């Protein structure tokens, strides 16, 4: 029996992908052939291409135009229209350098049988221009037309020299591709090289997409798509091409998404074939925990608990993402899963990204499980050696039911007797390998990932495609929306201080957040330490305290406890308070230099107030705007919906920065964009999962060949 690619891909997804190992095969020779062999390239030009990341035939064929120009109609100079981009062909009549005030301009007069056209450059190298252009030279000129001194004019036009007999070139009488600049290449030379490459090699491309997929989603063949993306037929829409909305763009975008989703679907399938711990759902521990709660679950919380219990009793390892806005009650839902694991004799590892958050979870869990006889411990970096050894011993002998900790949980000497459930909070703050290390401490433990940063639909279909997702959208009844205001003038500071004073007179508490601890010579931001001194003077009748990450744990805990109990009125802090602090009496969040914070971070900070019964306020104080920061702050004022905010954040920052590409391993899509191409992403995901599940019958062997060869660099992400 032959060892097929089907077998190989299953083995790789089960045992892990090994970059450079025998799981990978070079299917397409184009990925191994240097572009120096393309007519018009050669060794020297190949080096210039390499600076753009183009090293082989495959990358050259996929070096698509960045835009297209409609040069199907060549105008006579006498017929040029003002304010439109147009093409003319003429002969150089005169060349001159002129003085315009203090500036010099280079002017070339082009003529045809209908009139004269002035071509002007404000930035030029005289010697190069004189050497390049001469009287009588036939030129094509393309640019915006204006009129100056009753003469048609183009400023800094695109110019191409034309051979007298070359009236059927790639540069006019057609839709013309414009490529990203490659050092040392004119657009004319680029088009010639691309035409040589397409004519000789495009026909050799193997189309990996099954016929059934192409028919269902109305997609052209790969060879046809590549040819038309480089040299579109004259019947195509220039707007569709420039908006990446042509059927040929759809095809190459679909390909990128489809094979990535295939890998995710296969990973999910392999996970489903692993033997998971089967938990019995009917037990007294969960019922006792529910009686302990001082509130009733919302409908969304109850739905999420049921989804989690179904996973944990299925026999497959749970791999579920629990997402919900700040204050929606994710921790309580996670504790239901923990109680189920404990009742079945298993241990829980609860990992948080910061010590403050870990401490908050530890206290919350302790309060909600009081008098239940559950052994809970906190494991972090600053405990004594004796205390640490005791907790590690309790984990290894099984007397410790649940451990809350930071990265300390993944240290080699931390061993569990029977790890059955992993809960990871704010998972995007952990690296891929850190999450994997924790999973290795058990035998296919169930995994529940929590995030208070709602994840856009586009990312759930790509980056989180192999996770099952539970969403808490409704907030508990006592939670109120936080009113958000934007201030950006120095004259408004007194108005802000009046708001703060009024709130403290009512007995409420205030957060004031800064992006730096101490002033920087590089960044002119109001530092927390300096402003703390100023605010102490302004509000001298109230107790103002300072909190930041450099303060020692013991002192930090005292500061936090005083704020929790109401002994202090105002807490001046850095973003250490972004997560993990719950003070219901805090009603105002003032964020200085709000323009410096990311959108999801602003939303997290806003979520620190409004946790009690009183109305709450978030004040964004900006010290200047960029285009993106203005979008972020405007979104904060307009909406409280974390999911809408996440979509806007994704649109502004892109998926790489939002997830942290170095940590997430999200593939660097060359053509596709998971924000603007979300409809194609959905189609690609549906097709990939239908094939892997067997709902669509195709030749999987050919698909797996392409997946191995072309997408091997991206599977490190998919493994987690």
């Amino acid at each position: 029996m032959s060892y097929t690619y089907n077998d190989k891909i299953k083995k790789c997804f089960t045992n892990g992908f090994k970059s450079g190992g025998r799981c990978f095969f070079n299917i397409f020779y184009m990925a191994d052939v240097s572009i120096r062999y393309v007519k018009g390239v050669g060794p020297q030009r190949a080096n210039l291409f390499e600076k753009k990341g183009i090293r082989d035939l495959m990358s050259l064929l996929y070096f698509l135009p960045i835009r297209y120009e409609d040069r199907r109609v060549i105008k006579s100079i006498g017929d040029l229209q003002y304010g439109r981009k147009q093409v003319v062909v003429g002969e150089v009549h005169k060349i001159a350098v002129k003085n315009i005030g203090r500036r010099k301009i280079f002017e070339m007069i082009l003529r045809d049988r209908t009139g004269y056209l002035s071509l002007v450059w404000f930035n030029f190298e005289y010697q190069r221009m004189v050497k390049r252009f001469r009287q009588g030279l036939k030129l094509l000129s393309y640019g915006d037309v204006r009129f100056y001194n009753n003469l048609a004019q183009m400023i800094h036009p695109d110019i191409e020299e034309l051979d007298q007999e070359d009236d059927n070139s790639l540069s006019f009488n057609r839709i013309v591709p414009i490529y990203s600049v490659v050092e040392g290449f004119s657009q004319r030379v680029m088009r010639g090289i691309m035409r040589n490459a397409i004519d000789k090699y495009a026909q050799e491309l193997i189309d990996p997409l099954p016929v059934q997929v192409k028919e269902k989603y109305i997609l052209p063949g790969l060879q046809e798509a590549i040819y038309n993306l480089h040299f579109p037929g004259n019947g195509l829409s220039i707007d569709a091409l420039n908006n990446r909305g042509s059927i040929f763009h759809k095809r190459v975008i679909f390909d990128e998404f489809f094979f990535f989703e295939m890998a995710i679907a296969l990973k999910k399938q392999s996970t489903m074939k692993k033997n998971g711990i089967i938990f019995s759902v009917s037990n007294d521990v969960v019922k006792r925990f529910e009686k302990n709660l001082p509130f009733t679950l919302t409908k969304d919380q109850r739905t999420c608990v049921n989804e989690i219990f179904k996973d944990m009793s299925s026999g497959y390892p749970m791999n579920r993402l629990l997402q919900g806005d700040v204050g929606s009650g994710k921790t309580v839902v996670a504790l239901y899963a923990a109680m189920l694991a404990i009742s079945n004799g298993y241990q829980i590892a609860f990992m948080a990204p910061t010590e403050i958050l870990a401490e908050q979870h530890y206290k919350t869990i302790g309060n909600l499980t009081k008098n239940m006889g559950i052994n809970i411990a906190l494991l972090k970096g600053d405990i004594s050696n004796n205390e640490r050894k005791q907790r590690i011993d309790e984990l290894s002998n099984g007397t410790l039911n649940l451990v809350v900790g930071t990265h300390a949980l993944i240290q080699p000497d931390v061993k569990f007797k029977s790890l059955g459930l992993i809960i990871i909070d704010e998972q995007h703050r952990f690296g891929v390998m850190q999450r994997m290390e924790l999973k290795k401490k058990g035998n296919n433990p169930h995994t529940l990932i929590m995030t208070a940063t709602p994840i856009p639909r586009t990312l759930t279909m790509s980056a989180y495609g192999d996770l099952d997702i539970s969403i808490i959208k409704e907030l508990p009844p006592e939670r109120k929306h936080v009113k958000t205001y934007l201030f950006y003038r120095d004259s408004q500071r007194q108005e802000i201080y009046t708001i703060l004073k009024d709130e403290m007179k009512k007995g409420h508490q205030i957060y004031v957040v800064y992006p730096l601890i101490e002033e920087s010579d590089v960044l002119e931001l109001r530092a927390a330490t300096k402003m703390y001194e100023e605010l102490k003077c302004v509000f001298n009748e109230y107790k103002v305290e300072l909190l930041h990450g450099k303060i020692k744990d013991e002192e930090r805990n005292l500061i936090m406890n005083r704020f929790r109990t109401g002994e202090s009125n105002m807490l001046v802090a850095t973003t250490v308070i972004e997560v993990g602090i719950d003070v219901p009496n805090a009603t105002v969040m003032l964020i200085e230099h709000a323009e410096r914070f990311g959108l999801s971070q602003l939303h997290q900070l806003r979520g620190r107030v409004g946790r009690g019964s009183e109305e709450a306020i978030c004040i964004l104080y900006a010290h200047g705007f960029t285009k993106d920061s203005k979008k972020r702050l405007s979104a904060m004022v307009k909406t409280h919906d974390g999911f809408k905010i996440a979509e806007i954040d994704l649109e502004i920052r892109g998926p790489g920065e939002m997830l942290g590409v170095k940590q997430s391993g999200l593939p660097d899509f060359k053509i596709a964009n998971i924000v603007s191409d979300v409809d194609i992403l959905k189609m690609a995901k549906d097709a990939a999962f239908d094939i892997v599940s067997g709902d669509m019958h195709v030749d999987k062997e050919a698909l797996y060949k392409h997946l191995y060869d072309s997408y091997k660099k991206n599977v490190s992400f998919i493994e987690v």
Side-chain angles (χ1 to χ4, degrees), residues 454-460 599 641-653 658 674-675 678:
I455 297 166
R457 186 171 65 103
T458 49
L459 285 184
T460 62
L599 191 49
D641 187 328
F643 289 90
K644 285 183 183 176
I645 284 174
E647 292 285 354
I648 296 167
D649 200 19
L650 177 62
E651 184 181 336
I652 294 171
R653 289 198 287 159
M658 190 170 180
I674 69 170
V675 179
V678 62

Side-chain angles (χ1 to χ4, degrees), residues 344-513:
N344 281 267
Y346 286 86
Q347 295 168 298
I348 299 95
F350 196 130
M351 190 160 74
T354 66
E355 292 194 353
I356 285 182
L357 186 53
E359 289 164 7
Q360 179 76 34
H361 280 310
Y362 175 66
K363 288 174 183 174
T364 300
I365 294 168
N367 290 334
L368 294 177
T369 59
K370 198 178 291 182
N371 303 321
M372 288 186 64
I374 294 171
N375 193 4
I376 304 167
L378 179 63
L379 189 62
K380 56 179 187 172
D382 65 343
I383 59 176
S384 67
N385 289 335
N386 288 339
E387 194 177 359
R388 187 174 187 279
K389 184 179 183 304
Q390 180 185 341
R391 289 173 190 175
I392 288 175
D393 288 344
E394 288 175 338
L395 275 177
S396 61
N397 64 32
T399 57
L400 191 58
N401 303 115
L402 188 154
V403 60
V404 182
T406 56
H407 302 78
L409 293 179
I410 61 174
Q411 296 304 311
D413 61 339
V414 177
K415 293 181 174 61
F416 293 79
K417 182 180 181 181
S418 54
L419 179 61
L421 173 65
I422 293 169
I423 300 170
I424 300 175
D425 195 15
E426 296 301 327
Q427 64 83 33
H428 61 282
R429 295 182 174 220
F430 293 101
V432 167
M433 297 313 297
Q434 291 167 332
R435 300 198 295 270
M436 282 298 292
E437 285 301 316
L438 191 54
K439 283 188 175 185
K440 288 177 184 176
K441 293 183 181 292
N443 183 19
N444 294 333
H446 296 289
T447 303
L448 181 64
I449 294 168
M450 299 195 299
T451 179
T453 305
I455 297 166
R457 186 171 65 103
T458 49
L459 285 184
T460 62
M461 287 192 292
S462 51
Y464 300 95
D466 66 326
L467 292 176
D468 295 306
I469 296 173
S470 292
I471 299 174
I472 307 176
K473 277 200 169 182
E474 61 180 325
L475 294 175
E478 67 275 8
R479 289 300 303 267
K480 292 180 170 63
H481 284 311
V482 179
K483 292 179 181 177
T484 305
Y485 302 98
L486 174 61
F487 292 85
Y488 51 89
R489 295 188 182 94
D490 286 340
S491 58
Q492 294 175 308
R493 182 168 290 279
Q494 196 54 51
E495 185 181 346
I496 293 171
Y497 286 171
T498 300
I499 294 171
L500 302 188
K501 191 166 284 190
D502 288 345
E503 285 297 311
M504 287 190 286
K505 280 180 182 177
K506 297 175 186 175
H508 300 155
Q509 291 165 282
I510 313 290
Y511 292 111
V512 183
V513 177

Side-chain angles (χ1 to χ4, degrees), residues 698-717:
V698 303
D699 178 9
K700 292 183 181 178
E701 190 84 0
L703 283 177
Y704 294 159
K705 285 181 181 180
H706 187 83
L707 179 63
Y708 272 119
D709 190 67
S710 300
Y711 292 84
K712 59 190 177 186
K713 291 178 183 177
N714 297 330
V715 290
S716 62
F717 162 73

